[in-house]
Amino acid sequence: MKKLSDLIKEAREESAEDFISIIKKADELISDELRGLSRIRIMGRLVYLPPRGNAIVVGDLHGDLKSLEHILNESQFMEKALNEEETYIVFLGDYGDRGIRSPDVYHVILSLKILFPEKVILLQGNHEGPSDLLAYPHDLPYHLRMRFGKKWSDVYTELSNLFRKFYTAVIVNHECIMLHGGVPSKARNIEDVAYAYEKHPSESHLEEILWSDPAEDIKGTLFSPRGAGKLFGEDVTSAFLNMLGARFLIRGHEPVMDGYAIVHGGKILTLFSRKGSPYHNLHGAYLMYDLSRKFNSAWQLLPYIRKF
């Protein structure tokens, strides 16, 4: 079995053809999952994790290979995935852009998906969103051009097609829901989350899941300074969680100085896993989530948050 050091070395040395081959293999695996050819329960683009085992939850990476390497080494995901049947790693989206090692980060996470297909769950972030919701500036093409020269566009085409197949959310025993950005404020049922990608753009669920942010001291929703999604208050969070029968939400999307933040009275945990420029956060963080335990609030997750 490959070691993490092997994946890092391959990421630094791979050709455009090698990278495209990895993308296509990952695409085939995820496509099979979407067709129901997986032991994991999936509805639309919503993944159900069983209340057993452990999940490593990783926030935005934005091309920060060093932080990804640290998380994988410290959590020992690869070693545990080889020896434990129910060890998962959930990435909350935004793997690239803003960092020159973006191609390397994609190489590593897609290689992990190939090595451990049912244990690696890749969520869509706003930097992997549909073309009408894609973050700007979108500098991944620049990083690919610097790395692969004239063949960058072939790599980008394959990556873009794969982005559209990433999952929208993960739910754990109706206790916790994980997604990239924020609450879909108009969602009426769980199907609005699971099939948000199909309902876009006629309904706003996907836009809000990829782009929205929680805000304190407001009720309802407000215009977001990001230009997409909304700012939403604790009342919106509570209504969404009650509709799902869940207690709290885990999301990424928002840079936070300590790598994590808990807001809305313990109903939301934000994880941000890259460090430094251009976000200038002092720490990154990830979560070691015991899926078998019952948690009533995100505050109870504090002992399981790993700050670095």
Side-chain angles (χ1 to χ4, degrees), residues 143-171:
H143 297 142
L144 293 175
R145 188 182 297 114
M146 291 290 290
R147 180 65 185 277
F148 298 116
K150 294 180 180 179
K151 296 181 179 179
W152 78 269
S153 61
D154 296 331
V155 176
Y156 183 69
T157 297
E158 295 294 337
L159 263 181
S160 295
N161 291 336
L162 178 60
F163 293 164
R164 312 303 179 247
K165 297 180 181 179
F166 284 177
Y167 293 104
T168 302
V170 172
I171 196 162

Side-chain angles (χ1 to χ4, degrees), residues 101-294:
R101 305 301 294 274
S102 293
D104 298 352
V105 169
Y106 281 115
H107 173 99
V108 172
I109 64 163
L110 296 180
S111 296
L112 290 175
K113 180 66 179 176
I114 293 166
L115 290 170
F116 310 105
E118 295 182 341
K119 299 179 180 181
V120 177
I121 299 168
L122 306 177
L123 296 191
Q124 186 180 52
N126 59 311
H127 287 258
E128 295 86 35
S131 58
D132 62 327
L133 288 178
L134 200 57
Y136 180 84
H138 178 52
D139 50 30
L140 178 60
Y142 169 78
H143 297 142
L144 293 175
R145 188 182 297 114
M146 291 290 290
R147 180 65 185 277
F148 298 116
K150 294 180 180 179
K151 296 181 179 179
W152 78 269
S153 61
D154 296 331
V155 176
Y156 183 69
T157 297
E158 295 294 337
L159 263 181
S160 295
N161 291 336
L162 178 60
F163 293 164
R164 312 303 179 247
K165 297 180 181 179
F166 284 177
Y167 293 104
T168 302
V170 172
I171 196 162
V172 181
N173 198 32
H174 292 280
E175 170 185 276
C176 164
I177 184 163
M178 307 178 199
L179 44 74
H180 177 70
V183 166
S185 60
K186 298 179 181 178
R188 301 172 300 277
N189 49 54
I190 198 167
E191 286 79 11
D192 283 338
V193 177
Y195 298 101
Y197 70 102
E198 287 185 359
K199 299 182 179 189
H200 176 76
S202 60
E203 298 184 27
S204 65
H205 310 311
L206 184 63
E207 177 182 345
E208 294 182 63
I209 287 170
L210 297 183
W211 278 95
S212 290
D213 294 290
E216 302 282 32
D217 302 320
I218 71 168
K219 289 187 177 181
T221 61
L222 295 175
F223 173 80
S224 172
R226 293 181 184 267
K230 298 175 181 178
L231 300 178
F232 60 94
E234 185 176 344
D235 58 328
V236 176
T237 300
S238 296
F240 178 67
L241 293 174
N242 288 338
M243 181 266 290
L244 296 176
R247 298 181 179 90
F248 56 89
L249 180 150
I250 300 174
R251 42 95 66 173
H253 189 49
E254 189 174 7
V256 282
M257 191 59 67
D258 283 332
Y260 75 94
I262 297 175
V263 298
H264 285 186
K267 298 180 180 71
I268 293 181
L269 168 64
T270 297
L271 293 171
F272 201 74
S273 299
R274 79 150 293 144
K275 290 172 65 174
S277 178
Y279 299 101
H280 306 293
N281 52 308
L282 295 177
H283 300 279
Y286 66 98
L287 177 68
M288 300 289 289
Y289 189 2
D290 184 346
L291 298 172
S292 66
R293 290 197 58 180
K294 288 287 187 181

